[in-house]
Amino acid sequence: METRRVILFGNSVILGTVGASLRQRPQFEVTTLASPFPAVEELADMAPDIILFDLQGPRPDAAFALLESCPSLLLVGVSSERNEVTIWSGQHLTELSTQELVQTIAHKMT
């Protein structure tokens, strides 16, 4: 089974909850980043497969910049207020419910 590197860009309650769920699965290596956030070069060195951030928090500009050079990167914005998830992958954008998030991440593993 291939391990996927997941970065939680911030430490909000919703990211903590999602991170705790992902840490229970051996296929995910989860790292939490707090402010000050790394520059795009440092973030690229971490070689993330998935970056999650809180849509109510600061925009992770380094993650969006990395998305341009790494089209296989999955960038996931989570909104606890609207119970929605927004996913960017390359030029593709999708809005999902939080329940669909786990299915999407699990599908990426196959």
Side-chain angles (χ1 to χ4, degrees), residues 43-60:
L43 190 57
D45 288 343
M46 300 174 85
D49 297 297
I50 303 164
I51 298 176
L52 287 102
F53 69 99
D54 189 334
L55 288 168
Q56 275 71 52
R59 179 181 166 91

Side-chain angles (χ1 to χ4, degrees), residues 19-87:
S21 295
L22 292 174
R23 283 184 177 98
Q24 294 177 4
R25 299 173 184 250
Q27 67 265 40
F28 297 112
E29 175 187 314
V30 181
T31 301
T32 300
L33 300 179
S35 183
F37 297 115
V40 67
E41 296 83 13
E42 294 173 88
L43 190 57
D45 288 343
M46 300 174 85
D49 297 297
I50 303 164
I51 298 176
L52 287 102
F53 69 99
D54 189 334
L55 288 168
Q56 275 71 52
R59 179 181 166 91
D61 292 328
F64 279 94
L66 185 60
L67 185 62
E68 291 179 21
S69 62
C70 299
S72 65
L73 176 65
L74 192 64
L75 185 56
V76 180
V78 182
S79 171
S80 59
E81 290 180 4
R82 295 186 313 243
N83 193 28
E84 287 181 351
V85 174
T86 303
I87 298 176

